[in-house]
Amino acid sequence: MDKLSYKLRSGKNSKFAYYLTNYIRLVTPKIFFRTRLKNTLESCNARDDREYITERVNYYNKLTVNTPLPKSTPKIGDYRPKGQKVYFFDTYQYARWFPQSLKLLLLPGDITYVPEYPSIVKSRPLTDKDENSVIMKLDKVRHFIFVNDTIKFADKKDMVIFRGKVKGKESRRRFMELYFDNKMCDLGDVSKNTTDPAEWQTAKKSIREHLEYKFIMALEGNDVASNLKWIMSSNSVAVMPRPTCETWFMEGRLIPDYHYIEIKPDFSDLEEKLNFYIAHPDKAEEIARNANNYVAQFKNKKRERLISLLVLDKYFRMTC
């Protein structure tokens, strides 16, 4: 599959549509949103799911005491779409509702540490005392993809598939060394300019091609496994060690062998787990259904917008 063909068939979100939408947002007068902010935030009180919404807001934003930000902290209005633009755009989508004079620390990229000051992040480590890591739904054009899988679990291949970048990711390299030649695995490294074994190198596969397999590896790279969302929305089952980081998807709330098949961090029990679920397809299909139900909570766009606004509102109220 050549590069253009892959882009057309990959099953991933369109970056052209994403950027077009966000540049339109950029020129839309903010007054349209500022005048609606108070009523939108207060609408939570009249909702039947207000406890669920509040609980999620407090999960993403764990600040409980008013915390000062550095004097050098930029104001909302100081940010511009440069560098890692997706982080600006995904924050701006909600920050434009608020006074542009409010201070906001935005840390773009794969954040695997807890910042010194309260900061808006895409990802945070699953650790104690992570209050300064305030999660927003960032880089969603890459991370938030859901699928409509029409292939029944029973009709999929009795194998596990992995396609991903291995270069610079030691855990993925160990996985490839252990299982590249295993007949239960279809593995490939899509890294460029790598010194890893040439036989690992392969072309990318589309999401649709991944869905031909009963099991799909969801291996963390720099932070979370970016394919986990679409795997869990499919009829295939995610296979992975317990997550060490989380995003808006709340990976820290996933239950091993209920939402995904858990394997040891050293991958040593992969074959054992695959053989068990191949022999017990009813249990694997139950995991897929549980995963689908988990994904469903992120598909209510109006509620997701409200939660995002409430997370930011709490950030501004709890910082100074």
Side-chain angles (χ1 to χ4, degrees), residues 24-34 92 96:
I24 291 172
R25 284 185 180 134
L26 200 57
V27 298
T28 303
K30 300 179 186 68
I31 190 67
F32 293 146
F33 307 97
R34 292 284 308 282
Y92 179 80
R96 61 181 172 164

Side-chain angles (χ1 to χ4, degrees), residues 163-180:
R163 287 293 185 278
K165 294 180 180 178
V166 176
K167 182 180 179 181
K169 298 171 175 61
E170 187 56 35
S171 179
R172 291 184 177 185
R173 193 176 197 283
R174 289 199 305 272
F175 176 75
M176 294 290 286
E177 289 172 341
L178 286 169
Y179 292 105
F180 181 73

Side-chain angles (χ1 to χ4, degrees), residues 270-286:
L270 176 65
E271 267 195 272
E272 175 189 344
K273 286 295 187 82
L274 293 180
N275 283 321
F276 174 84
Y277 285 103
I278 289 172
H280 300 85
D282 55 323
K283 294 184 182 296
E285 291 184 70
E286 184 178 0

Side-chain angles (χ1 to χ4, degrees), residues 4 56 71 75 81 95 104 129 139 206 212 214 221 231 238:
L4 177 59
R56 268 186 68 186
K71 292 182 179 179
K75 298 174 182 178
L104 181 146
K129 297 190 180 300
D139 197 9
S206 67
E212 295 173 2
K214 288 182 176 176
I231 299 172

Side-chain angles (χ1 to χ4, degrees), residues 191-209:
S191 305
K192 295 180 180 179
N193 303 317
T194 178
T195 57
D196 285 324
E199 59 267 27
W200 293 0
Q201 307 310 302
T202 187
K204 295 179 179 180
K205 280 186 179 289
S206 67
I207 290 176
R208 175 62 181 77
E209 290 172 311

Side-chain angles (χ1 to χ4, degrees), residues 59-221:
Y59 185 87
Y60 296 130
N61 186 334
K62 299 181 181 180
L63 294 170
T64 56
V65 296
N66 197 264
T67 307
L69 296 172
K71 292 182 179 179
S72 58
T73 301
K75 298 174 182 178
I76 295 175
D78 294 332
Y79 285 95
R80 295 292 184 271
K82 57 184 180 180
Q84 295 173 294
K85 293 184 178 67
V86 293
Y87 291 90
F88 166 82
F89 282 130
D90 290 344
T91 305
Y92 179 80
Q93 180 178 353
Y94 304 106
R96 61 181 172 164
W97 291 65
F98 295 86
Q100 300 298 285
S101 59
L102 292 174
K103 290 184 176 181
L104 181 146
L105 270 178
L106 169 63
L107 296 183
D110 303 328
I111 306 300
T112 57
Y113 61 91
V114 177
E116 182 179 358
Y117 298 98
S119 304
I120 302 300
V121 297
K122 177 199 74 180
S123 55
R124 68 185 175 200
L126 286 165
T127 184
D128 295 331
K129 297 190 180 300
D130 58 356
E131 293 85 358
N132 284 346
S133 298
V134 178
I135 291 179
M136 290 288 290
K137 190 177 180 181
L138 306 182
D139 197 9
K140 59 177 175 282
V141 68
R142 177 169 176 259
H143 281 265
F144 270 80
I145 301 170
F146 299 131
V147 298
N148 179 24
D149 187 1
T150 59
I151 309 175
K152 295 179 181 178
F153 182 82
D155 296 333
K156 297 171 183 273
K157 298 177 184 178
D158 286 337
M159 298 176 67
V160 66
I161 184 173
F162 169 76
R163 287 293 185 278
K165 294 180 180 178
V166 176
K167 182 180 179 181
K169 298 171 175 61
E170 187 56 35
S171 179
R172 291 184 177 185
R173 193 176 197 283
R174 289 199 305 272
F175 176 75
M176 294 290 286
E177 289 172 341
L178 286 169
Y179 292 105
F180 181 73
D181 293 322
N182 191 296
K183 292 181 180 180
M184 298 185 72
C185 304
D186 180 349
L187 313 182
D189 178 10
V190 300
S191 305
K192 295 180 180 179
N193 303 317
T194 178
T195 57
D196 285 324
E199 59 267 27
W200 293 0
Q201 307 310 302
T202 187
K204 295 179 179 180
K205 280 186 179 289
S206 67
I207 290 176
R208 175 62 181 77
E209 290 172 311
H210 279 74
L211 299 181
E212 295 173 2
Y213 296 75
K214 288 182 176 176
F215 309 103
I216 304 175
M217 295 302 304
L219 297 179
E220 291 185 334

